[in-house]
Amino acid sequence: MSVHSARRAAPVALLTAALTAAALTTPAAAAGDQTPRTAEGDRGHQRTLAAAKAVVEEGGAPGILVQVRDHRGTWNGSAGVADRTTGRERLPQDRFRAGSLTKTFVATVVLQLEAEGRLDLDDRVERWLPGTVRGSGHDGRKITLRQLLNHTSGVHNYTEDPGFQEKYFGPGFLRHRYDTWTPKQLVSLAMAHTPAFAPGTSWGYSNTNYVLLGMVIEKATGRPYAQEVERRVLKPLKLKATSFPGTRTRLPQPSGRAYAHIPGDATLHDVTELNPSGAGAAGEVVTNTSDLQRFLRTLLRGGLLPRAQMEELTTTVPMTGAPEGYRYGLGIYAQKLSCGKEVWGHSGGIHGSGSDMVSTRDGRHSLTLNINGDAGDPQTVVEAEFCG
């Protein structure tokens, strides 16, 4: 889910559009990820730090937080502020809303369920959610779970509904920021519009896909998707800073503030408090850079999925409308950087908060970041770290 543009005009308008019209093995694989140390002066990351500072000084973001892990250890960098009122700097342990990075957690659980034989990626949506995907040309009998996961379903993106846009992104946000939305309500918004394309014939980012997957997880397990993610991922990996708030409007501490512009209003508003149920399984996660590091590195190293499901996870399809070199897997995407290196991960955004998690395929070199505003281009930081 995202309210960003800039680099977002590239895949982020597609990838992290989660909230924009325009987020089984034991954890032994993560055992080497220790408590992060801060090394602001590490020469190996000076270009990354310079790019992060430019996001604030030239891009206009209030602040940015970056963590890198590689063969040299863990490096934390930051620029700008966490709170424009107090001037507090951003801290490595700060929590933030990470939008569409939620999708990678959801996809991991779906793939674990497949590994256990509790569902099949080629199951039709209708099997799990009878009558739910119907209306305006939608037909859940023709859409598979795999197509939801890799955004080839054609299901309309509910965040493009004009009424939702006005309330969640437009002038109505300040009046509706505490509204509660149910998954069924969000899906109903999508069903009022025609599909983007016939299932399997193209690619199009749709947050509705992951709201539906959250519903499938609950149907298959008898527990809300967030509880399954906590049980299967958060607890085994000891991701204590990561949570799925549901309807809770405040961020857990420690955390900074999030800032965004409202259309038609030049004021930079504090949008930290909001009801994330409008994002749900498509983008409600709250986390920090360290937890994201452990999650992504463990996932890519095969610490959460058997080999067959890892192959499914990383089987990609072309992303229509994205720059050359971008391909979407199952809740994760690959991108070719300007220097030819390939990294895997996801980006995400929600009001006043834009995040990225990327890593080499072997999980040895990874970067996570968060910008607490709706300005600045995070891709410049990724390029500086991996290509600088």
Side-chain angles (χ1 to χ4, degrees):
M1 313 204 61
S2 179
V3 290
H4 300 77
S5 47
R7 154 238 190 174
R8 314 144 196 213
V12 172
L14 302 165
L15 293 173
T16 64
L19 261 190
T20 191
L24 302 180
T25 61
T26 65
D33 292 338
Q34 304 299 321
T35 302
R37 60 177 174 81
T38 299
E40 296 277 357
D42 184 345
R43 290 189 176 186
H45 302 288
Q46 283 304 297
R47 288 189 177 88
T48 305
L49 182 58
K53 289 180 177 179
V55 167
V56 174
E57 296 168 2
E58 300 172 20
I64 184 172
L65 193 59
V66 186
Q67 185 176 107
V68 176
R69 295 190 183 184
D70 59 16
H71 67 281
R72 291 165 291 193
T74 299
W75 173 84
N76 290 289
S78 66
V81 297
D83 189 320
R84 297 175 73 237
T85 300
T86 66
R88 175 172 80 78
E89 295 181 352
R90 302 207 69 182
L91 303 174
Q93 61 267 36
D94 277 350
R95 302 180 188 189
F96 47 81
R97 302 186 194 278
S100 281
L101 274 62
T102 307
K103 292 179 172 67
T104 314
F105 288 92
V106 170
T108 300
V109 170
V110 172
L111 286 164
Q112 288 179 346
L113 291 172
E114 186 200 40
E116 296 164 9
R118 301 175 70 173
L119 55 74
D120 191 292
L121 296 190
D122 294 318
D123 286 345
R124 305 291 169 166
V125 175
E126 184 74 7
R127 173 181 175 182
W128 293 100
L129 305 173
T132 300
V133 182
R134 295 289 180 88
S136 306
H138 289 93
D139 189 346
R141 296 170 297 185
K142 299 178 181 179
I143 300 169
T144 66
L145 301 185
R146 187 190 310 275
Q147 290 168 339
L148 296 181
L149 285 162
N150 65 12
H151 296 296
T152 60
S153 70
V155 172
H156 185 84
N157 185 2
Y158 74 87
T159 59
E160 295 178 0
D161 175 80
F164 185 87
Q165 286 184 19
E166 196 282 331
K167 289 181 179 180
Y168 218 77
F169 305 112
F173 170 74
L174 296 178
R175 299 191 308 275
H176 294 280
R177 65 194 298 177
Y178 300 114
D179 290 359
T180 293
W181 299 81
T182 67
K184 287 185 178 180
Q185 285 177 316
L186 300 177
V187 173
S188 293
L189 290 176
M191 295 303 102
H193 302 273
T194 57
F197 48 82
T201 64
S202 188
W203 185 90
Y205 194 85
S206 174
N207 296 296
T208 315
N209 289 330
Y210 277 76
V211 172
L212 289 166
L213 287 165
M215 296 169 71
V216 169
I217 290 172
E218 182 167 1
K219 191 68 175 290
T221 66
R223 287 179 289 270
Y225 93 91
Q227 288 185 17
E228 282 299 297
V229 177
E230 180 177 4
R231 186 173 74 87
R232 293 167 171 272
V233 180
L234 305 192
K235 287 185 177 179
L237 297 189
K238 296 181 172 59
L239 305 184
K240 296 181 179 180
T242 303
S243 61
F244 298 85
T247 60
R248 296 191 301 276
T249 60
R250 295 185 177 182
L251 285 176
Q253 296 299 313
S255 62
R257 311 301 294 177
Y259 302 95
H261 292 90
I262 307 300
D265 185 345
T267 303
L268 185 63
H269 291 274
D270 185 322
V271 295
T272 310
E273 293 188 9
L274 57 83
N275 185 331
S277 61
E284 69 169 300
V285 73
V286 171
T287 187
N288 69 6
T289 54
S290 184
D291 273 16
L292 289 176
Q293 286 277 358
R294 177 169 287 199
F295 169 57
L296 182 60
R297 289 164 69 92
T298 305
L299 177 64
L300 289 176
R301 291 171 174 175
L304 288 168
L305 297 171
R307 181 174 297 178
Q309 279 65 44
M310 284 299 297
E311 291 180 2
E312 299 277 14
L313 177 81
T314 54
T315 297
T316 60
V317 295
M319 292 166 54
T320 304
E324 185 178 357
Y326 282 80
R327 298 180 63 87
Y328 205 92
L330 303 186
I332 194 169
Y333 68 91
Q335 60 170 304
K336 281 285 182 66
L337 301 177
S338 62
C339 57
K341 290 183 180 179
E342 182 179 77
V343 292
W344 289 77
H346 213 289
S347 50
I350 194 167
H351 301 79
S353 184
S355 305
D356 266 304
M357 60 176 185
V358 295
S359 173
T360 53
R361 177 64 183 80
D362 60 9
R364 295 177 182 272
H365 185 185
S366 54
L367 176 149
T368 54
L369 67 77
N370 174 260
I371 296 173
N372 62 337
D374 56 4
D377 183 0
Q379 187 68 7
T380 59
V381 181
V382 174
E383 288 277 348
E385 174 59 33
F386 292 92
C387 294

